[in-house]
Amino acid sequence: MYTKIFRAVIIGAPGSGKGTISDRIVKTFGFLHISSGDILRQNIIKNTDLGKKAQQYIASGQLVPDDIMTKTMIARITEVGNKSYILDGFPRNSAQADILAAREQIDAVINLDIPHDVIIERVKHRWIHAPSGRVYNIGFNDPKVAGKDDITGEPLTQREDDKPEVVSKRLQLYDELMGPVLAWYAERGLVTSFKGRETKEIWPRVERFLKDKVNMG
Ligand code: G5P
Ligand code: MG
């Protein structure tokens, strides 16, 4: 049982494994996973106003406008209340980081540093169950039955923004916008970087780091 409330942000390029590592953090530490991308994709499926607005931006690899995103994410964080969480996909630029900083005290930033060539190869094989956000990867974590979600048995889909031309645009945008955000967090001594090519080498280091941080090692 962890008593201290811990607020972490996970940062990394598209396909770096933020969702994968966050799932393990949820299972090991019981934190809540707040993923901006999952929230948007669920809204697209439900055809909400937010989903309708976000769809075009996501499909073309652009960011959803800041006002929409900050409103959505701050509402979700408020709903979560006083619980430990791992924030994935937000903030995405300096404007969003400023708004988050005004609202929340972040305890740690986990930065996943994965080479772009690894990422480009990976996302070609990514399949998702969009309603839940569950993610699979052929040859890494295959579904039990090909093409079907393990829990619901519903069909898996590929993300529209995983097309190679959209992925390269997302990677470029990431480098451009997240450099200043990382620098801002680094100045405050919050960033720990995990460099590697595979989740199996990165996860044990993240787990150790968090155990030490929450003083339960
Ligand atoms: P998202 O949804 O936030 P991205 O682009 O930040 O999307 P993404 O693509 O979800 O990040 P990830 O979560 O970092 O990647 O990676 P993942 O899904 O865990 O892993 C990638 C794949 O590799 C998976 O298939 C996984 O199984 C596999 N994998 C993991 N480890 C290994 C390994 O060791 N080996 C192998 N072989 N495979 C592995 O944002 C999407 C869009 O939403 C909008 C934007 O339009 C954005 O482009 N958006 C926002 N817009 C404005 N502001 C915000 N704050 C926004 N947030 C989202
Ligand atoms: Mg993700």
PDB file of all heavy atoms in Angstrom, residues 15-17 21 111-119 122 193-203 205-206:
ATOM      1  N   GLY A  15       5.069   6.249 -30.103  1.00  0.00           N
ATOM      2  CA  GLY A  15       5.532   4.869 -30.271  1.00  0.00           C
ATOM      3  C   GLY A  15       6.708   4.499 -29.385  1.00  0.00           C
ATOM      4  O   GLY A  15       7.245   3.400 -29.470  1.00  0.00           O
ATOM      5  N   SER A  16       7.112   5.386 -28.480  1.00  0.00           N
ATOM      6  CA  SER A  16       8.276   5.095 -27.628  1.00  0.00           C
ATOM      7  C   SER A  16       7.937   4.093 -26.523  1.00  0.00           C
ATOM      8  O   SER A  16       8.841   3.559 -25.878  1.00  0.00           O
ATOM      9  CB  SER A  16       8.822   6.390 -27.015  1.00  0.00           C
ATOM     10  OG  SER A  16       7.816   7.022 -26.255  1.00  0.00           O
ATOM     11  N   GLY A  17       6.637   3.880 -26.283  1.00  0.00           N
ATOM     12  CA  GLY A  17       6.250   2.899 -25.260  1.00  0.00           C
ATOM     13  C   GLY A  17       5.615   3.529 -24.026  1.00  0.00           C
ATOM     14  O   GLY A  17       5.531   2.887 -22.981  1.00  0.00           O
ATOM     15  N   ILE A  21       4.569   1.150 -20.924  1.00  0.00           N
ATOM     16  CA  ILE A  21       5.193   1.326 -19.603  1.00  0.00           C
ATOM     17  C   ILE A  21       4.127   1.775 -18.588  1.00  0.00           C
ATOM     18  O   ILE A  21       4.114   1.305 -17.442  1.00  0.00           O
ATOM     19  CB  ILE A  21       6.360   2.356 -19.687  1.00  0.00           C
ATOM     20  CG1 ILE A  21       7.500   1.837 -20.577  1.00  0.00           C
ATOM     21  CG2 ILE A  21       6.862   2.738 -18.286  1.00  0.00           C
ATOM     22  CD1 ILE A  21       8.405   0.792 -19.972  1.00  0.00           C
ATOM     23  N   ASN A 111      11.222  10.129 -18.807  1.00  0.00           N
ATOM     24  CA  ASN A 111      11.455  10.425 -20.224  1.00  0.00           C
ATOM     25  C   ASN A 111      11.966   9.174 -20.940  1.00  0.00           C
ATOM     26  O   ASN A 111      13.040   8.669 -20.627  1.00  0.00           O
ATOM     27  CB  ASN A 111      12.493  11.558 -20.329  1.00  0.00           C
ATOM     28  CG  ASN A 111      12.836  11.879 -21.769  1.00  0.00           C
ATOM     29  OD1 ASN A 111      11.982  11.845 -22.653  1.00  0.00           O
ATOM     30  ND2 ASN A 111      14.103  12.173 -22.030  1.00  0.00           N
ATOM     31  N   LEU A 112      11.187   8.678 -21.889  1.00  0.00           N
ATOM     32  CA  LEU A 112      11.599   7.489 -22.654  1.00  0.00           C
ATOM     33  C   LEU A 112      12.357   7.948 -23.896  1.00  0.00           C
ATOM     34  O   LEU A 112      11.813   8.679 -24.727  1.00  0.00           O
ATOM     35  CB  LEU A 112      10.378   6.660 -23.060  1.00  0.00           C
ATOM     36  CG  LEU A 112       9.466   6.196 -21.919  1.00  0.00           C
ATOM     37  CD1 LEU A 112       8.307   5.369 -22.473  1.00  0.00           C
ATOM     38  CD2 LEU A 112      10.242   5.407 -20.868  1.00  0.00           C
ATOM     39  N   ASP A 113      13.604   7.510 -23.983  1.00  0.00           N
ATOM     40  CA  ASP A 113      14.477   7.975 -25.061  1.00  0.00           C
ATOM     41  C   ASP A 113      14.797   6.786 -25.981  1.00  0.00           C
ATOM     42  O   ASP A 113      15.699   5.996 -25.708  1.00  0.00           O
ATOM     43  CB  ASP A 113      15.744   8.560 -24.404  1.00  0.00           C
ATOM     44  CG  ASP A 113      16.692   9.168 -25.409  1.00  0.00           C
ATOM     45  OD1 ASP A 113      16.386   9.135 -26.615  1.00  0.00           O
ATOM     46  OD2 ASP A 113      17.751   9.672 -24.976  1.00  0.00           O
ATOM     47  N   ILE A 114      13.975   6.654 -27.023  1.00  0.00           N
ATOM     48  CA  ILE A 114      14.072   5.484 -27.923  1.00  0.00           C
ATOM     49  C   ILE A 114      14.429   6.005 -29.320  1.00  0.00           C
ATOM     50  O   ILE A 114      13.794   6.953 -29.801  1.00  0.00           O
ATOM     51  CB  ILE A 114      12.696   4.754 -28.018  1.00  0.00           C
ATOM     52  CG1 ILE A 114      12.020   4.621 -26.648  1.00  0.00           C
ATOM     53  CG2 ILE A 114      12.793   3.419 -28.738  1.00  0.00           C
ATOM     54  CD1 ILE A 114      12.716   3.775 -25.649  1.00  0.00           C
ATOM     55  N   PRO A 115      15.408   5.377 -29.994  1.00  0.00           N
ATOM     56  CA  PRO A 115      15.780   5.872 -31.325  1.00  0.00           C
ATOM     57  C   PRO A 115      14.599   5.820 -32.312  1.00  0.00           C
ATOM     58  O   PRO A 115      13.776   4.903 -32.258  1.00  0.00           O
ATOM     59  CB  PRO A 115      16.884   4.910 -31.779  1.00  0.00           C
ATOM     60  CG  PRO A 115      17.333   4.186 -30.559  1.00  0.00           C
ATOM     61  CD  PRO A 115      16.209   4.217 -29.579  1.00  0.00           C
ATOM     62  N   HIS A 116      14.557   6.806 -33.204  1.00  0.00           N
ATOM     63  CA  HIS A 116      13.448   6.891 -34.162  1.00  0.00           C
ATOM     64  C   HIS A 116      13.351   5.667 -35.079  1.00  0.00           C
ATOM     65  O   HIS A 116      12.254   5.268 -35.438  1.00  0.00           O
ATOM     66  CB  HIS A 116      13.579   8.156 -35.014  1.00  0.00           C
ATOM     67  CG  HIS A 116      13.175   9.409 -34.274  1.00  0.00           C
ATOM     68  ND1 HIS A 116      12.990  10.618 -34.892  1.00  0.00           N
ATOM     69  CD2 HIS A 116      12.915   9.618 -32.966  1.00  0.00           C
ATOM     70  CE1 HIS A 116      12.634  11.521 -33.989  1.00  0.00           C
ATOM     71  NE2 HIS A 116      12.596  10.942 -32.812  1.00  0.00           N
ATOM     72  N   ASP A 117      14.475   5.075 -35.441  1.00  0.00           N
ATOM     73  CA  ASP A 117      14.394   3.915 -36.355  1.00  0.00           C
ATOM     74  C   ASP A 117      13.640   2.761 -35.689  1.00  0.00           C
ATOM     75  O   ASP A 117      12.876   2.039 -36.331  1.00  0.00           O
ATOM     76  CB  ASP A 117      15.799   3.471 -36.825  1.00  0.00           C
ATOM     77  CG  ASP A 117      16.682   2.977 -35.684  1.00  0.00           C
ATOM     78  OD1 ASP A 117      16.877   3.739 -34.716  1.00  0.00           O
ATOM     79  OD2 ASP A 117      17.171   1.828 -35.736  1.00  0.00           O
ATOM     80  N   VAL A 118      13.817   2.595 -34.389  1.00  0.00           N
ATOM     81  CA  VAL A 118      13.107   1.529 -33.650  1.00  0.00           C
ATOM     82  C   VAL A 118      11.604   1.820 -33.674  1.00  0.00           C
ATOM     83  O   VAL A 118      10.778   0.932 -33.921  1.00  0.00           O
ATOM     84  CB  VAL A 118      13.603   1.463 -32.181  1.00  0.00           C
ATOM     85  CG1 VAL A 118      12.781   0.475 -31.370  1.00  0.00           C
ATOM     86  CG2 VAL A 118      15.086   1.122 -32.124  1.00  0.00           C
ATOM     87  N   ILE A 119      11.267   3.079 -33.450  1.00  0.00           N
ATOM     88  CA  ILE A 119       9.856   3.483 -33.383  1.00  0.00           C
ATOM     89  C   ILE A 119       9.150   3.265 -34.716  1.00  0.00           C
ATOM     90  O   ILE A 119       8.050   2.706 -34.771  1.00  0.00           O
ATOM     91  CB  ILE A 119       9.768   4.974 -32.977  1.00  0.00           C
ATOM     92  CG1 ILE A 119      10.173   5.115 -31.509  1.00  0.00           C
ATOM     93  CG2 ILE A 119       8.383   5.529 -33.239  1.00  0.00           C
ATOM     94  CD1 ILE A 119      10.229   6.521 -30.995  1.00  0.00           C
ATOM     95  N   ARG A 122       8.380  -0.312 -35.155  1.00  0.00           N
ATOM     96  CA  ARG A 122       7.389  -0.773 -34.188  1.00  0.00           C
ATOM     97  C   ARG A 122       5.945  -0.461 -34.540  1.00  0.00           C
ATOM     98  O   ARG A 122       5.081  -1.306 -34.445  1.00  0.00           O
ATOM     99  CB  ARG A 122       7.639  -0.020 -32.893  1.00  0.00           C
ATOM    100  CG  ARG A 122       8.089  -0.832 -31.781  1.00  0.00           C
ATOM    101  CD  ARG A 122       8.180   0.100 -30.611  1.00  0.00           C
ATOM    102  NE  ARG A 122       9.270  -0.312 -29.770  1.00  0.00           N
ATOM    103  CZ  ARG A 122       9.551   0.280 -28.624  1.00  0.00           C
ATOM    104  NH1 ARG A 122       8.848   1.309 -28.231  1.00  0.00           N
ATOM    105  NH2 ARG A 122      10.540  -0.160 -27.912  1.00  0.00           N
ATOM    106  N   SER A 193      15.743  10.184 -17.426  1.00  0.00           N
ATOM    107  CA  SER A 193      15.654   9.626 -18.777  1.00  0.00           C
ATOM    108  C   SER A 193      16.015   8.148 -18.775  1.00  0.00           C
ATOM    109  O   SER A 193      16.918   7.718 -18.048  1.00  0.00           O
ATOM    110  CB  SER A 193      16.596  10.381 -19.715  1.00  0.00           C
ATOM    111  OG  SER A 193      16.127  11.696 -19.877  1.00  0.00           O
ATOM    112  N   PHE A 194      15.299   7.407 -19.596  1.00  0.00           N
ATOM    113  CA  PHE A 194      15.529   5.970 -19.744  1.00  0.00           C
ATOM    114  C   PHE A 194      15.772   5.721 -21.223  1.00  0.00           C
ATOM    115  O   PHE A 194      14.869   5.854 -22.041  1.00  0.00           O
ATOM    116  CB  PHE A 194      14.325   5.179 -19.233  1.00  0.00           C
ATOM    117  CG  PHE A 194      14.055   5.428 -17.772  1.00  0.00           C
ATOM    118  CD1 PHE A 194      13.258   6.488 -17.364  1.00  0.00           C
ATOM    119  CD2 PHE A 194      14.643   4.617 -16.808  1.00  0.00           C
ATOM    120  CE1 PHE A 194      13.034   6.733 -16.021  1.00  0.00           C
ATOM    121  CE2 PHE A 194      14.421   4.855 -15.453  1.00  0.00           C
ATOM    122  CZ  PHE A 194      13.624   5.917 -15.064  1.00  0.00           C
ATOM    123  N   LYS A 195      17.024   5.371 -21.522  1.00  0.00           N
ATOM    124  CA  LYS A 195      17.402   5.223 -22.917  1.00  0.00           C
ATOM    125  C   LYS A 195      17.505   3.745 -23.262  1.00  0.00           C
ATOM    126  O   LYS A 195      18.046   2.971 -22.466  1.00  0.00           O
ATOM    127  CB  LYS A 195      18.778   5.894 -23.078  1.00  0.00           C
ATOM    128  CG  LYS A 195      19.144   6.258 -24.477  1.00  0.00           C
ATOM    129  CD  LYS A 195      20.503   6.959 -24.478  1.00  0.00           C
ATOM    130  CE  LYS A 195      20.999   7.066 -25.895  1.00  0.00           C
ATOM    131  NZ  LYS A 195      21.125   8.406 -26.359  1.00  0.00           N
ATOM    132  N   GLY A 196      16.993   3.372 -24.410  1.00  0.00           N
ATOM    133  CA  GLY A 196      17.123   1.981 -24.805  1.00  0.00           C
ATOM    134  C   GLY A 196      16.310   1.693 -26.044  1.00  0.00           C
ATOM    135  O   GLY A 196      15.639   2.566 -26.579  1.00  0.00           O
ATOM    136  N   ARG A 197      16.382   0.446 -26.505  1.00  0.00           N
ATOM    137  CA  ARG A 197      15.662   0.067 -27.725  1.00  0.00           C
ATOM    138  C   ARG A 197      14.459  -0.828 -27.426  1.00  0.00           C
ATOM    139  O   ARG A 197      13.618  -1.024 -28.284  1.00  0.00           O
ATOM    140  CB  ARG A 197      16.606  -0.666 -28.694  1.00  0.00           C
ATOM    141  CG  ARG A 197      17.798   0.176 -29.127  1.00  0.00           C
ATOM    142  CD  ARG A 197      18.741  -0.593 -30.025  1.00  0.00           C
ATOM    143  NE  ARG A 197      18.188  -0.817 -31.351  1.00  0.00           N
ATOM    144  CZ  ARG A 197      18.281   0.060 -32.353  1.00  0.00           C
ATOM    145  NH1 ARG A 197      18.888   1.217 -32.183  1.00  0.00           N
ATOM    146  NH2 ARG A 197      17.754  -0.217 -33.533  1.00  0.00           N
ATOM    147  N   GLU A 198      14.397  -1.385 -26.220  1.00  0.00           N
ATOM    148  CA  GLU A 198      13.318  -2.339 -25.930  1.00  0.00           C
ATOM    149  C   GLU A 198      12.719  -2.108 -24.549  1.00  0.00           C
ATOM    150  O   GLU A 198      13.429  -1.792 -23.595  1.00  0.00           O
ATOM    151  CB  GLU A 198      13.868  -3.763 -25.983  1.00  0.00           C
ATOM    152  CG  GLU A 198      14.171  -4.237 -27.381  1.00  0.00           C
ATOM    153  CD  GLU A 198      14.541  -5.693 -27.371  1.00  0.00           C
ATOM    154  OE1 GLU A 198      15.716  -6.004 -27.084  1.00  0.00           O
ATOM    155  OE2 GLU A 198      13.644  -6.531 -27.590  1.00  0.00           O
ATOM    156  N   THR A 199      11.400  -2.338 -24.469  1.00  0.00           N
ATOM    157  CA  THR A 199      10.702  -2.176 -23.196  1.00  0.00           C
ATOM    158  C   THR A 199      11.271  -3.119 -22.132  1.00  0.00           C
ATOM    159  O   THR A 199      11.346  -2.756 -20.966  1.00  0.00           O
ATOM    160  CB  THR A 199       9.194  -2.411 -23.413  1.00  0.00           C
ATOM    161  OG1 THR A 199       8.716  -1.337 -24.236  1.00  0.00           O
ATOM    162  CG2 THR A 199       8.414  -2.429 -22.121  1.00  0.00           C
ATOM    163  N   LYS A 200      11.696  -4.308 -22.543  1.00  0.00           N
ATOM    164  CA  LYS A 200      12.176  -5.264 -21.520  1.00  0.00           C
ATOM    165  C   LYS A 200      13.448  -4.768 -20.816  1.00  0.00           C
ATOM    166  O   LYS A 200      13.703  -5.126 -19.682  1.00  0.00           O
ATOM    167  CB  LYS A 200      12.330  -6.677 -22.089  1.00  0.00           C
ATOM    168  CG  LYS A 200      13.430  -6.898 -23.065  1.00  0.00           C
ATOM    169  CD  LYS A 200      13.595  -8.423 -23.296  1.00  0.00           C
ATOM    170  CE  LYS A 200      14.808  -8.725 -24.131  1.00  0.00           C
ATOM    171  NZ  LYS A 200      14.547  -9.098 -25.500  1.00  0.00           N
ATOM    172  N   GLU A 201      14.217  -3.914 -21.461  1.00  0.00           N
ATOM    173  CA  GLU A 201      15.387  -3.353 -20.756  1.00  0.00           C
ATOM    174  C   GLU A 201      15.021  -2.073 -20.002  1.00  0.00           C
ATOM    175  O   GLU A 201      15.647  -1.724 -19.003  1.00  0.00           O
ATOM    176  CB  GLU A 201      16.567  -3.112 -21.719  1.00  0.00           C
ATOM    177  CG  GLU A 201      16.192  -2.308 -22.946  1.00  0.00           C
ATOM    178  CD  GLU A 201      17.365  -1.875 -23.830  1.00  0.00           C
ATOM    179  OE1 GLU A 201      18.416  -1.503 -23.296  1.00  0.00           O
ATOM    180  OE2 GLU A 201      17.192  -1.882 -25.067  1.00  0.00           O
ATOM    181  N   ILE A 202      13.975  -1.377 -20.472  1.00  0.00           N
ATOM    182  CA  ILE A 202      13.606  -0.100 -19.855  1.00  0.00           C
ATOM    183  C   ILE A 202      12.727  -0.295 -18.620  1.00  0.00           C
ATOM    184  O   ILE A 202      12.932   0.351 -17.596  1.00  0.00           O
ATOM    185  CB  ILE A 202      12.923   0.798 -20.906  1.00  0.00           C
ATOM    186  CG1 ILE A 202      14.013   1.265 -21.865  1.00  0.00           C
ATOM    187  CG2 ILE A 202      12.199   1.980 -20.265  1.00  0.00           C
ATOM    188  CD1 ILE A 202      13.545   2.125 -22.963  1.00  0.00           C
ATOM    189  N   TRP A 203      11.769  -1.209 -18.711  1.00  0.00           N
ATOM    190  CA  TRP A 203      10.805  -1.363 -17.609  1.00  0.00           C
ATOM    191  C   TRP A 203      11.465  -1.634 -16.240  1.00  0.00           C
ATOM    192  O   TRP A 203      11.129  -0.961 -15.258  1.00  0.00           O
ATOM    193  CB  TRP A 203       9.733  -2.406 -17.940  1.00  0.00           C
ATOM    194  CG  TRP A 203       8.960  -2.806 -16.721  1.00  0.00           C
ATOM    195  CD1 TRP A 203       8.925  -4.043 -16.145  1.00  0.00           C
ATOM    196  CD2 TRP A 203       8.155  -1.962 -15.885  1.00  0.00           C
ATOM    197  NE1 TRP A 203       8.145  -4.021 -15.013  1.00  0.00           N
ATOM    198  CE2 TRP A 203       7.664  -2.748 -14.829  1.00  0.00           C
ATOM    199  CE3 TRP A 203       7.813  -0.602 -15.924  1.00  0.00           C
ATOM    200  CZ2 TRP A 203       6.846  -2.256 -13.818  1.00  0.00           C
ATOM    201  CZ3 TRP A 203       7.001  -0.087 -14.919  1.00  0.00           C
ATOM    202  CH2 TRP A 203       6.527  -0.909 -13.884  1.00  0.00           C
ATOM    203  N   ARG A 205      14.183  -0.698 -15.079  1.00  0.00           N
ATOM    204  CA  ARG A 205      14.800   0.542 -14.573  1.00  0.00           C
ATOM    205  C   ARG A 205      13.730   1.527 -14.105  1.00  0.00           C
ATOM    206  O   ARG A 205      13.894   2.198 -13.093  1.00  0.00           O
ATOM    207  CB  ARG A 205      15.691   1.144 -15.671  1.00  0.00           C
ATOM    208  CG  ARG A 205      17.018   0.379 -15.783  1.00  0.00           C
ATOM    209  CD  ARG A 205      17.653   0.405 -17.165  1.00  0.00           C
ATOM    210  NE  ARG A 205      17.741   1.716 -17.746  1.00  0.00           N
ATOM    211  CZ  ARG A 205      17.901   1.952 -19.048  1.00  0.00           C
ATOM    212  NH1 ARG A 205      17.994   0.937 -19.908  1.00  0.00           N
ATOM    213  NH2 ARG A 205      17.973   3.167 -19.498  1.00  0.00           N
ATOM    214  N   VAL A 206      12.628   1.596 -14.835  1.00  0.00           N
ATOM    215  CA  VAL A 206      11.530   2.489 -14.428  1.00  0.00           C
ATOM    216  C   VAL A 206      10.938   1.985 -13.110  1.00  0.00           C
ATOM    217  O   VAL A 206      10.661   2.761 -12.186  1.00  0.00           O
ATOM    218  CB  VAL A 206      10.444   2.561 -15.528  1.00  0.00           C
ATOM    219  CG1 VAL A 206       9.222   3.329 -15.042  1.00  0.00           C
ATOM    220  CG2 VAL A 206      10.997   3.191 -16.798  1.00  0.00           C
TER     221      VAL A 206
END
